[in-house]
Amino acid sequence: MQDSDYIFREHDLDRFRWPDADYAHTPYRVFKDSAIYEREMEKVFRGPTWGYLALEAELPEAGSFKSVMLGNTPVVVSREEDGSFSAFVNRCAHRGATVVREEFGKADTHACIYHQWCYSSAGDLVGVPYRRGVSGKGGYPKDFKPAQHGLRKLHVESYKGLIFGSLQNEPGTLMAYLGPHIKEHLDRILVKPLKVLGYHRQRISANWKLYFENIKDPYHAGLLHMFAATFGTYRSTQEGYTLVSDGGGHSIVYSVMGTDDHDSVSEHYKDVKDKYQTDFQLNDGTLLQWTPDFDDGIGNLIISVFPNLVVQQILNTLATRQVRPLGPDGMELVWTFFGFEDDDDTLTDDRLRQLNLVGPAGYISMEDGEAIRLVQQAIQGETDATSFIQMGGLGPIVDADHVVTEVCTRGFWKQYAQTMEFAPREEGAPVPEKAHD
Amino acid sequence: MTSPIDGDLYQRVQDLYQNYGHAIDVDDLEAWPEFFTADARYCVIPRENHDRGLPAALIDCRGRPMLLDRVVALRTANIYNIHFDRHLVSPAVITGRDGDVLESRVNFTVMQTDQSGVTRLFAAGVSYDRIRVEEQRLRFLDRRLVLDTYGVPELLATPL
């Protein structure tokens, strides 16, 4: 065996390399290895990425804040007096306690309960008890400078009402990070001020990357989600597109309703008969009553942005989904549903009724949690094997004018491997020295 | 304080809740819509939404046909974790009465057991209900289950 055959089994992560440059095989160990998980938190979530934090609409007033997780880093994002947004790491600069304990709220300042160190909404230290001691005794040294003891701040940028943060020292612009495809499709759906309708949360016993594989994979959608196939909210036979960013990590999958017919569906679904049941009728058809927000017929759109954001438009449902890793074996998925501020009651009601389709209890999404849990369960004891990702073929990771492809999944692994410094070594490049154990 | 209903009617309310939970626990999902009036509302809403006045629900069935669709979908279309449920429902507190409609509140927990026989707490919460008293049987006119366990473990398929 050549060294390269075993490089993805390498315990020294500085020597770990992806098995192939097409990203058509994923080593299962990346879903369960705790050292890889720790490296992800550092290199991905605190690395050269922009993570989704919140919707601007969730922070309506100056001082409004929300607590989130960016990887395993607790973050608070706030609206400032001037209407801008700020974010800090929610860990006291003194002794490390969580400063903001609430998920949501409104406050001018945040005081740590432990020793009452007090911070502005932007994270600057504005008050320290007993700084000069009590009755002339104790206190901090004379050279103590509050300006040097603020909370760690994130770079923050917004686009179309979505707030992103980066823990990297000098990130590029958010727009350069998102790229033209993501911009175009955010522009398409985020056309007006947003109104938050509420949240779903689910805790899935699966690695966070299995969720990204899932939502970037239109191949499964017409096969696993029989409800969607039967009622035509999504079918592989519909006109559909798969777009992938230059770096590979962001993608867009969408399909256009009403672009297939009974004959073509019957032909292509004949091998999976139980997935397309023509005799299955809803007793109440209002569930799928769709008043399109846009005039392009797109009924199912999934935008994903590396490493923690999904934006969906499924019929009238609009949502962000924030992926929060919970160790190698688990994740929390937080869905924020929204409409537009100027929606009338009827349209709001349509959006709310269609929530029966999506989320952890949704007719066309409950299977995802189960499918990726089954992967996590089955790979636990595996150290050597890889998955097989070649629907749509190998070769360049580029856009496709159909949805029978896993190209976005390969794109995800490309950006992941490059960010983690796991990309396959160039032909003839030296193997790094093995570190001392 | 006197109860707005007599002992016999209260016992019928208790039976309604216990029979409701049991039907789901023995996988008699087809019986589930029958516990509701034709125009009933069944809503499972995360407590964080309920408390903040946000309307988004996890399940929101409006009328018995939508309840039937949930059952048909679970039986024929959806794929979910193989499990069985155990409902534990507190005694009902009757909070009001308007003619033949009772207002009632119960706490609930649902334990979920997998194929290895491992049982976990799946759901806890409170339900604010309206019950129509009919000659033959009581039926829910409205169930609003406010879910404390809104960090849903895996997924929510079978009804609470």
Side-chain angles (χ1 to χ4, degrees), chain A residues 200 227 284 286-288 317 337 349-366, chain B residues 32 41-44 56-62 66-67 69-70 73 78 156:
Chain A
H200 288 178
F227 193 97
D284 186 339
T286 63
L287 179 62
L288 296 171
T317 69
F337 293 98
D349 210 49
D350 285 346
R351 298 195 202 285
L352 292 172
R353 194 172 50 245
Q354 290 170 17
L355 295 195
N356 286 296
L357 298 169
V358 298
Y363 291 127
I364 61 171
S365 63
M366 72 169 79
Chain B
W32 175 62
R41 179 91 176 252
Y42 169 85
C43 180
V44 179
L58 285 154
I59 303 176
D60 186 0
C61 295
R62 306 166 187 197
M66 283 184 79
L67 294 161
D69 285 336
R70 183 93 193 162
N78 289 121
L156 170 59

Side-chain angles (χ1 to χ4, degrees), chain A residues 58 103-104 196-206 224 226-227 274-275 277 280-287 337 348-349 352-353 355-356 358 360-364 366-367 369-370 373, chain B residues 41-42 44 46 48-49 52-74 76-82 149-158:
Chain A
E58 294 178 273
E103 288 280 303
F104 290 93
V196 176
L197 298 175
Y199 302 89
H200 288 178
R201 301 189 192 217
Q202 74 192 110
R203 298 172 90 86
I204 304 174
S205 300
L224 174 65
M226 180 273 185
F227 193 97
D274 61 329
K275 296 292 168 197
Q277 303 188 5
F280 183 11
Q281 293 290 327
L282 287 176
N283 290 290
D284 186 339
T286 63
L287 179 62
F337 293 98
T348 299
D349 210 49
L352 292 172
R353 194 172 50 245
L355 295 195
N356 286 296
V358 298
Y363 291 127
I364 61 171
M366 72 169 79
E367 287 89 1
E370 175 68 355
R373 185 187 71 83
Chain B
R41 179 91 176 252
Y42 169 85
V44 179
E48 66 176 337
N49 294 350
R52 297 176 63 204
L54 297 168
L58 285 154
I59 303 176
D60 186 0
C61 295
R62 306 166 187 197
R64 201 187 282 151
M66 283 184 79
L67 294 161
L68 283 166
D69 285 336
R70 183 93 193 162
V71 175
V72 174
L74 291 176
T76 64
N78 289 121
I79 297 166
Y80 51 92
N81 56 322
I82 300 171
T149 324
Y150 53 81
V152 175
E154 316 296 346
L155 58 92
L156 170 59
T158 45

Side-chain angles (χ1 to χ4, degrees), chain A residues 127-148:
Chain A
V128 177
Y130 312 148
R131 181 179 165 189
R132 295 185 174 81
V134 177
S135 305
K137 295 177 180 174
Y140 281 107
K142 285 204 166 44
D143 62 355
F144 176 85
K145 293 189 174 60
Q148 294 173 349

Side-chain angles (χ1 to χ4, degrees), chain A residues 86 99 155 159 178 186 233 281 372 392:
Chain A
S86 63
V99 176
H155 295 275
Y159 187 68
L178 295 176
L186 293 179
T233 60
Q281 293 290 327
I372 65 173

Side-chain angles (χ1 to χ4, degrees), chain A residues 63-76:
Chain A
S64 295
F65 65 83
K66 179 184 184 185
S67 299
V68 299
M69 295 296 291
L70 186 55
N72 61 359
T73 303
V75 169
V76 171

Side-chain angles (χ1 to χ4, degrees), chain A residues 73-76 87-93 99 151-154 167:
Chain A
T73 303
V75 169
V76 171
F88 56 75
V89 175
N90 190 13
R91 182 170 55 234
C92 188
V99 176
L151 300 173
R152 182 174 174 192
K153 294 178 183 177
L154 284 76
L167 282 155

